């Protein structure tokens, strides 16, 4: 954990919103962390890459001139550690208003490759890690009758493409899980938002030669922040992907089967 205690605790005259970002040091996570901190949030930045977390945290705190962020090293496949870690973070930052799950991995199999070992890792990080965290956060927000949960899914979950079965499956599962949470929690005053990025220029796109309609991470983060403020249910980043996916979702299966992307 970061060695600096939170220097700006919430008081009745200075209410502070508090957020946890899991997968905070990645491209979209770090852009969103900076924006939330500028918006006045106290943040717990969680990721497995301690050096990247520390540098992001130092940057945020130096810019703010006070401790707005603290860090926690965690591998999201260490599911059993989540309940205790969540309790510790909430005690450290003094409460919780927003939870964002961004952790994700991808690999690019050959069209003829079937690789359970790699597929399993994708499912464990993209889906099971999210469920491990959200199933601890959801009951807390449900009993508090407030709170916001944001899950970063993907346009990949809208259709099962030939290119990447595990990535599509993990994100379809995450989108469906988030929809279920939303249907359970909206009646308790809790907001749940599904984010479906198209292509965003982060390390994740390293294996792609010509990214299509690729957004900057800052642009994706702006749209996520706007969705949090407006309590949107599902957003595409960037907006053009809503229309691209509208078309792709309606391609009949007998044609979609013949496509090679
Ligand atoms: N970029 C895109 O085009 C795109 C498109 C659709 C959806 N998304 C989704 O957007 C989210 C953010 O991705 P990004 O684009 O910002 O990519 P990124 O820069 O690679 O960020 C992913 C983050 O997840 C972390 N992570 C991976 N495995 C982890 C584990 N086992 N435990 C803890 N943290 C772990 C990574 O840490 P390390 O640095 O240590 O690996 C990294 O900080 C992901 O869920 C991704 O699937 C991205």
């Amino acid at each position: 954990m970061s060695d600096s205690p939170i220097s700006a605790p919430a008081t009745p005259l200075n209410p502070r919103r508090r957020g946890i970002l899991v997968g905070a040091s990645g491209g979209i996570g770090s852009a969103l962390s900076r924006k939330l901190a500028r918006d006045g949030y106290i943040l717990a930045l969680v990721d497995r890459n301690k050096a990247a977390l520390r540098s992001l945290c130092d940057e945020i705190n130096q810019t703010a001139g006070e401790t707005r962020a603290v860090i926690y090293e965690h591998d999201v496949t260490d599911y059993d550690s989540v309940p205790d870690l969540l309790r510790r973070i909430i005690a450290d930052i003094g409460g919780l208003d927003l939870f964002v799950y961004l952790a994700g991995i991808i690999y690019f199999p050959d069209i003829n490759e079937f690789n359970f070992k790699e597929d399993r890792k994708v499912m464990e990080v993209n889906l099971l890690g999210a469920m491990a965290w959200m199933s601890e956060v959801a009951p807390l927000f449900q009993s508090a009758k407030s709170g916001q949960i944001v899950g970063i899914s993907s346009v990949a979950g809208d259709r099962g493409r030939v290119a990447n079965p595990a990535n599509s499956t993990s994100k379809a599962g995450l989108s469906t899980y988030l929809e279920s949470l939303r249907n359970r929690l909206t009646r308790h005053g809790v907001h749940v938002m599904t984010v479906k990025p198209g292509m965003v220029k982060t390390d994740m796109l390293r294996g792609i030669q010509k990214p299509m309609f690729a957004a900057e991470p800052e642009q994706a983060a702006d749209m996520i922040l706007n969705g949090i403020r407006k309590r949107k249910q599902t957003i595409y980043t960037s907006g053009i992907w809503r229309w691209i996916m509208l078309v792709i979702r309606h391609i009949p299966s007998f044609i979609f089967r013949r496509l090679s992307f």
Side-chain angles (χ1 to χ4, degrees):
M1 199 193 91
S2 163
D3 19 40
S4 358
I6 294 292
S7 62
T11 65
L13 292 178
N14 186 17
R16 289 276 181 174
R17 285 160 298 166
R18 304 152 190 109
I20 298 176
L21 289 91
V22 177
S25 67
I28 301 175
S30 53
L32 183 61
S33 300
R34 291 186 191 99
K35 288 181 195 294
L36 286 167
R38 269 204 297 277
D39 221 29
Y41 275 86
I42 299 295
L43 298 175
L45 308 176
V46 181
D47 210 315
R48 64 180 173 181
N49 182 340
K50 197 171 180 188
L53 274 179
R54 183 162 293 284
S55 122
L56 174 65
C57 181
D58 289 349
E59 182 200 320
I60 286 174
N61 292 338
Q62 272 160 23
T63 306
E66 62 180 16
T67 304
R68 293 255 172 100
V70 283
I71 63 172
Y72 300 83
E73 192 181 0
H74 165 76
D75 188 312
V76 296
T77 60
D78 183 6
Y79 312 120
D80 292 344
S81 69
V82 171
D84 282 351
L85 179 56
L86 177 62
R87 268 193 291 278
R88 184 152 70 88
I89 293 175
I90 291 175
D92 289 345
I93 65 176
L96 187 63
D97 303 283
L98 172 68
F99 175 82
V100 188
Y101 190 89
L102 303 113
I105 54 171
I106 195 168
Y107 79 106
F108 299 97
D110 183 81
I111 187 107
N112 297 313
E113 180 185 358
F114 295 89
N115 188 335
F116 177 66
K117 205 168 156 216
E118 292 304 315
D119 289 353
R120 178 179 175 159
K121 286 188 209 158
V122 170
M123 297 303 290
E124 287 175 347
V125 173
N126 295 7
L127 180 59
L128 296 183
M131 292 172 73
W133 274 94
M134 290 178 196
S135 58
E136 293 298 317
V137 171
L140 297 181
F141 283 170
Q142 178 170 318
S143 46
K145 300 210 172 299
S146 70
Q148 294 183 277
I149 295 175
V150 177
I152 313 300
S153 184
S154 172
V155 295
D158 281 7
R159 216 57 218 258
R161 295 182 303 121
V162 292
N164 208 325
N167 188 50
S168 290
T169 305
S170 69
K171 294 302 190 178
L174 180 57
S175 295
T176 303
Y177 182 73
L178 289 164
E179 185 185 9
S180 294
L181 279 192
R182 180 158 50 246
N183 293 340
R184 278 187 170 205
L185 296 177
T186 301
R187 67 195 74 181
H188 298 286
V190 181
H191 169 229
V192 179
M193 180 167 77
T194 308
V195 179
K196 296 183 177 180
M199 290 196 181
V200 184
K201 293 177 197 163
T202 67
D203 282 354
M204 196 159 273
L205 287 195
R206 259 178 317 199
I208 296 183
Q209 300 218 318
K210 285 187 191 155
M212 219 176 44
F213 302 112
E216 296 296 334
E218 289 71 27
Q219 195 185 346
D222 274 333
M223 295 186 75
I224 297 169
L225 191 55
N226 185 50
I228 292 169
R229 287 187 185 131
K230 296 189 172 154
R231 297 176 79 87
K232 294 193 174 179
Q233 299 195 5
T234 299
I235 62 168
Y236 285 80
T237 66
S238 52
I240 189 164
W241 284 94
R242 175 176 295 280
W243 307 113
I244 294 172
M245 295 317 294
L246 184 69
V247 173
I248 288 180
R249 278 201 313 276
H250 286 89
I251 298 176
S253 179
F254 72 90
I255 296 174
F256 202 65
R257 242 176 282 157
R258 291 159 201 263
L259 303 178
S260 57
F261 70 92

